[in-house]
């Protein structure tokens, strides 16, 4: 049993109201991770341009373009969240070093692992945000990242299939 001061009574634990500030991550941690995600925007843009240019089929290109377009949306959402809590805009670096992958497929593998790493970071961002409105925005981004990982797996499977049946 738990004593609930709002009700002036003891209630079962499962009725205990959630604390509005209870979280295992802080807003400061979330904002730092958002800032890092935004600052990686230019390198990501160059990476997607590379993958689209190197894609061997129109189907691959369309898949990667859809992922890139989602990433642009995510960047806008993260900028909005960051500005809502800090009142500031994040400046993206202008000079970026882009390391071209050794091949298209190596780039796809790198992208797949990057999406999964992003899921881990975005979970921490979501946990540090203080209200549902912004947490729901990050949940949308998180589910898109999982969708992207599946799409990259599709590309890898299509590539394998092309190799086996050619």
């Amino acid at each position: 049993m738990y004593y609930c001061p709002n009700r002036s009574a003891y209630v079962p634990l499962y009725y205990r109201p959630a604390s509005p500030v209870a979280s295992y991550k802080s807003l400061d941690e979330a904002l730092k991770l958002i800032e890092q995600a935004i600052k990686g925007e230019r390198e990501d843009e160059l990476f997607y341009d590379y993958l689209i240019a190197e894609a061997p089929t129109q189907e691959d290109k369309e898949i990667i373009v859809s992922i890139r377009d989602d990433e642009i949306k995510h960047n806008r959402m993260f900028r909005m969240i960051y500005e809502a809590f800090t009142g500031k805009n994040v400046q993206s670096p202008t000079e970026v070093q882009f390391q071209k992958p050794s091949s298209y497929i190596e780039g796809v593998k790198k992208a797949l692992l990057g999406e999964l790493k992003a899921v881990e970071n975005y979970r921490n961002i979501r946990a540090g945000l203080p209200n549902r409105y912004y947490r729901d925005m990050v949940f949308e981004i998180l589910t898109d990242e999982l969708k992207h990982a599946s799409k990259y797996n599709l590309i890898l499977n299509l590539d394998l299939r092309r190799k086996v049946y050619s």
Side-chain angles (χ1 to χ4, degrees):
M1 297 296 275
Y2 162 77
Y3 181 75
C4 181
N6 294 342
R7 294 184 182 189
S8 298
Y10 284 93
V11 295
L13 274 179
Y14 55 85
Y15 284 122
R16 183 176 59 189
S19 168
V21 293
S23 179
Y24 66 95
K25 297 292 176 184
S26 71
L27 178 59
D28 284 342
E29 288 174 281
L31 292 173
K32 285 177 188 163
L33 289 169
I34 290 172
E35 187 175 6
Q36 288 171 7
I38 293 169
K39 286 185 174 180
E41 166 188 23
R42 179 68 181 134
E43 184 178 354
D44 292 346
E45 183 182 329
L46 294 171
F47 183 67
Y48 287 113
D49 289 347
Y50 165 81
L51 287 179
I52 292 165
E54 295 295 316
T57 68
Q58 187 60 34
E59 183 178 20
D60 284 16
K61 286 182 193 300
E62 289 171 6
I63 291 169
I64 297 166
V65 165
S66 74
I67 293 169
R68 182 207 53 204
D69 292 348
D70 280 349
E71 296 296 347
I72 291 168
K73 175 187 74 171
H74 300 166
N75 194 273
R76 280 194 310 265
M77 292 168 81
F78 276 142
R79 285 179 179 280
M80 189 189 89
I81 293 168
Y82 189 87
E83 188 174 351
F85 287 102
T86 67
K88 300 175 187 173
N89 290 316
V90 176
Q91 297 301 314
S92 297
T94 53
E95 297 295 319
V96 174
Q97 296 293 326
F98 170 64
Q99 180 109 21
K100 192 166 26 168
S102 60
S103 69
Y104 169 71
I105 288 302
E106 286 304 313
V108 171
K109 288 178 191 176
K110 178 182 175 188
L112 171 60
L113 294 174
E115 297 294 333
L116 297 175
K117 179 67 176 160
V119 168
E120 293 173 9
N121 287 335
Y122 299 169
R123 279 191 317 214
N124 290 329
I125 290 171
R126 187 178 183 279
L129 295 176
N131 67 46
R132 185 174 178 174
Y133 178 78
Y134 295 109
R135 284 180 175 207
D136 285 350
M137 288 176 72
V138 176
F139 184 75
E140 178 180 335
I141 295 170
L142 268 164
T143 55
D144 281 351
E145 297 299 315
L146 294 170
K147 180 179 72 176
H148 298 166
S150 293
K151 287 182 175 185
Y152 283 125
N153 270 320
L154 171 62
I155 290 173
L156 292 172
N157 280 302
L158 291 171
D159 180 69
L160 180 61
R161 201 168 170 202
R162 284 190 291 268
K163 288 176 181 171
V164 167
Y165 295 112
S166 59

